[in-house]
Amino acid sequence: MLSLDFLDDVRRMNKRQLYYQVLNFGMIVSSALMIWKGLMVVTGSESPIVVVLSGSMEPAFHRGDLLFLTNRIEDPIRVGEIVVFRIEGREIPIVHRVLKIHEKQNGDIKFLTKGDNNAVDDRGLYKRGQHWLEKKDVVGRARGISNGTRES
Amino acid sequence: MNTVLSRANSLFAFSLSVMAALTFGCFITTAFKERSVPVSIAVSRVTLRNVEDFTGPRERSDLAFVTFDITADLQSIFDWNVKQLFLYLSAEYSTKNNALNQVVLWDKIILRGDNPRLFLKDMKSKYFFFDDGNGLKGNRNVTLTLSWNVVPNAGLLPLVTGSGHMSVPFPDTYETTKSY
């Protein structure tokens, strides 16, 4: 019933009005895309808004919460920060807290992470033989949170 | 507004807008608050050993055991937008190998509703305090600070350091007897 009403409206339009509608639609879609891309530029992150997938940072983050990320390379990595990192060869990024850092004079840093809800640090998750993470593994820093829907 | 569907649609859109506005309100009313409180840290004992780092790279490194006290009143930080505080006691020092080292010794989660007044005595560290090398022996200046990550319902996730830190010189010799 609803779809027939819509088609009647379209049939009543002339070519000009039809083009106008299509352009209008295109404007809306491109505005949304530009806002997203603009956010990517401002934050420096590939995915500035992500959803929490696992419960390894409970009770701070639950599955379904939204996280706002930035990825400014100049930001120094310090303990307590929540970093989003990717392990070489794995696709899914992990959001955990920095537990230990050792930084050399020239800025080279190696650090260890741990999920708040995990009993042990993340060395079990890293690649075989890898004991530390480096700056290149970081894809973002969690800067803001918004509660999402709760599963439980 | 004459069908159930259009009414439901309007209602849904309105509820979403209200919830978004509330969330933004939560964020903007607490975004610029001062979240630091004075903290008192005391270190009663430091012992040092030199063993293979069994938590990671198997090299002989300095392992420290620190016994500490913490006094802090975090009541003023909790407001309508704070879900929990993630506290962590970190030791910061510099060595020949590394210009900056930071190690978290102990952490605690305080949820909204839990007792926010800390009065901890003779606490043992939760995590092994291994150095990357042998830079803890005779280190003149290891600074312990208590910091916290404020986790809100909606908004920024600031890391705040308590005002009040404790610098300790580490022993010059390794402990050989069994203790801690």
Side-chain angles (χ1 to χ4, degrees), chain B residues 37-154:
Chain B
V37 289
V39 160
S40 162
I41 307 172
V43 174
S44 47
R45 231 181 127 200
V46 180
T47 48
L48 209 53
R49 282 180 212 271
N50 186 264
V51 293
E52 240 185 49
D53 185 349
F54 47 80
T55 63
R58 292 199 164 270
E59 300 152 358
R60 283 195 82 85
S61 317
D62 281 350
L63 172 61
F65 297 94
V66 183
T67 315
F68 53 89
D69 309 327
I70 300 179
T71 310
D73 183 0
L74 305 159
Q75 178 69 51
S76 53
I77 307 178
F78 282 94
D79 56 25
W80 58 90
N81 197 22
V82 174
K83 201 161 65 171
Q84 77 168 51
L85 288 184
F86 184 89
L87 298 163
Y88 53 100
L89 180 77
S90 55
E92 185 172 323
Y93 59 97
S94 82
T95 63
K96 231 170 34 211
N97 274 355
N98 297 298
L100 175 68
N101 303 276
Q102 287 183 331
V103 181
V104 172
L105 300 181
W106 171 90
D107 54 38
K108 182 178 169 63
I109 293 177
I110 299 186
L111 296 168
R112 184 156 61 171
D114 288 352
N115 182 16
R117 292 184 176 81
L118 290 180
F119 199 67
L120 307 163
K121 292 235 164 281
D122 287 337
M123 299 289 294
K124 296 201 172 46
S125 56
K126 223 188 202 186
Y127 304 108
F128 286 105
F129 189 172
F130 269 110
D131 181 33
D132 177 38
N134 302 311
L136 285 176
K137 183 166 100 157
N139 196 313
R140 290 284 119 227
N141 194 4
V142 178
T143 308
L144 269 71
T145 47
L146 184 69
S147 315
W148 46 90
N149 186 199
V150 182
V151 180
N153 282 318

Side-chain angles (χ1 to χ4, degrees), chain A residues 2 59-60 78-82 97 99-105 110 114 116 123 131 142-147, chain B residues 55-57 83-84 86 88 97-102 104 109 127 130 132 149 152-157 159:
Chain A
L2 292 159
R78 297 285 174 259
V79 286
E81 286 202 355
I82 302 171
R97 204 180 288 273
L99 192 70
K100 239 186 172 202
I101 65 162
H102 295 292
E103 187 177 48
K104 295 216 183 289
Q105 189 75 35
K110 57 187 186 187
K114 175 181 171 292
D116 290 350
R123 283 201 168 115
H131 295 292
R143 295 280 182 226
I145 178 185
S146 182
N147 269 351
Chain B
T55 63
K83 201 161 65 171
Q84 77 168 51
F86 184 89
Y88 53 100
N97 274 355
N98 297 298
L100 175 68
N101 303 276
Q102 287 183 331
V104 172
I109 293 177
Y127 304 108
F130 269 110
D132 177 38
N149 186 199
N153 282 318
L156 298 172
L157 290 161
L159 288 178

